């Protein structure tokens, strides 16, 4: 099926078909991208982008000349994104579960370091030291089995976190005491733990 506007040119990429440019953007987005934002990214008119998206949906679903793909293009939450087909959920779960864990983000590493050096420590105390919200990062670290809930504060009910044996194994040490000392030139965040601070 020929799409009107599919060959709209981008001055930065002469000769590149619109469908290819759209696919390139869709492969790197972490969340659904709005039609207008996608059109701006590929330097093409919105109607041409909309029509090309519809053609790609048909193509991936096997309603065009080619076979049905293992992924699909869906409009979700006001934007477009590529997704693995539900038929392959079990396959993907097995594959991901058998892979080496992905590297931690900088935010996760920083949060993990605070917890390792200050444990037992609450989420609020970690947030106070890092000066950012750490809720999602703490969930990630819990999910990876690198930290654990130790106990709840008797007065406030705040959960105190600490590191796990799995972290020690990853670091190749036997005890958290083997961590290198924090540089005396750096603020260790002790001021954030005075009485009356975040709990």
């Amino acid at each position: 099926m020929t799409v009107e506007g599919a060959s709209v040119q981008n001055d930065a990429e002469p000769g590149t078909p619109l469908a290819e440019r759209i696919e390139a953007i869709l492969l790197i987005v972490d969340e659904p991208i709005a039609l207008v934002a996608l059109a701006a990214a590929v330097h093409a008119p919105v109607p041409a982008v909309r029509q090309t998206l519809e053609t790609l949906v048909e193509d991936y679903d096997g309603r065009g000349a080619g076979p049905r793909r293992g992924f699909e293009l869906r409009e979700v939450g006001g934007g477009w994104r590529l997704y693995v087909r539900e038929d392959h959920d079990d396959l993907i779960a097995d594959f991901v579960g058998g892979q080496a864990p992905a590297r931690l983000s900088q935010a996760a590493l920083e949060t993990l370091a605070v917890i390792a050096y200050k444990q037992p420590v609450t989420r609020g105390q970690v947030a106070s030291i890092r000066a950012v919200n750490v809720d999602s990062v703490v969930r990630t670290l819990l999910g990876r089995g690198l930290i654990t809930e130790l106990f709840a504060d008797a007065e406030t009910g705040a959960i105190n976190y600490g590191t796990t044996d799995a972290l020690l194994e990853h670091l190749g040490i036997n005890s958290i005491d083997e961590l290198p000392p924090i540089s005396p030139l750096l603020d260790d965040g002790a001021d954030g733990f005075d009485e009356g601070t975040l709990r």
Side-chain angles (χ1 to χ4, degrees):
M1 179 176 180
T2 303
V3 179
E4 182 183 343
S7 60
V8 173
Q9 303 299 308
N10 176 358
D11 292 339
E13 302 174 61
T16 305
L18 177 57
E20 288 185 23
R21 301 201 310 267
I22 289 174
E23 286 177 322
I25 296 298
L26 290 173
L27 281 173
I28 63 164
V29 295
D30 291 331
E31 55 189 34
I33 182 170
L35 179 62
V36 173
L38 182 56
V42 298
H43 309 287
V46 170
V49 172
R50 184 192 311 276
Q51 193 171 11
T52 303
L53 286 168
E54 291 171 0
T55 300
L56 289 174
V57 168
E58 291 184 4
D59 182 30
Y60 300 157
D61 287 348
R63 291 179 279 156
R68 182 173 182 253
R69 308 300 208 295
F71 56 88
E72 60 185 331
L73 178 57
R74 294 198 317 241
E75 186 175 15
V76 177
W80 291 85
R81 186 178 176 201
L82 293 171
Y83 293 88
V84 173
R85 292 192 186 278
E86 289 183 16
D87 307 3
H88 306 300
D89 283 352
D90 291 341
L91 173 70
I92 297 302
D94 290 344
F95 176 77
V96 172
Q99 296 299 299
R103 294 185 177 197
L104 294 174
S105 67
Q106 184 67 31
L109 287 172
E110 291 172 6
T111 300
L112 183 57
V114 171
I115 293 172
Y117 280 100
K118 296 308 241 177
Q119 61 185 310
V121 61
T122 67
R123 194 176 309 202
Q125 291 169 331
V126 175
S128 176
I129 292 172
R130 291 204 56 233
V132 294
N133 185 303
V134 297
D135 291 354
S136 64
V137 178
V138 167
R139 283 194 297 274
T140 297
L141 295 174
L142 283 168
R144 296 276 184 93
L146 300 175
I147 64 171
T148 187
E149 297 179 356
L150 297 177
F151 59 89
D153 185 277
E155 293 181 10
T156 65
I159 302 295
N160 280 262
Y161 297 91
T163 54
T164 63
D165 290 341
L167 175 64
L168 299 180
E169 291 175 19
H170 285 299
L171 294 177
I173 59 178
N174 294 314
S175 164
I176 210 71
D177 296 331
E178 295 178 31
L179 285 173
I182 297 177
S183 169
L185 301 177
L186 297 176
D187 178 6
D188 66 1
D191 292 342
F193 291 86
D194 291 341
E195 288 298 322
T197 57
L198 277 174
R199 291 181 184 271

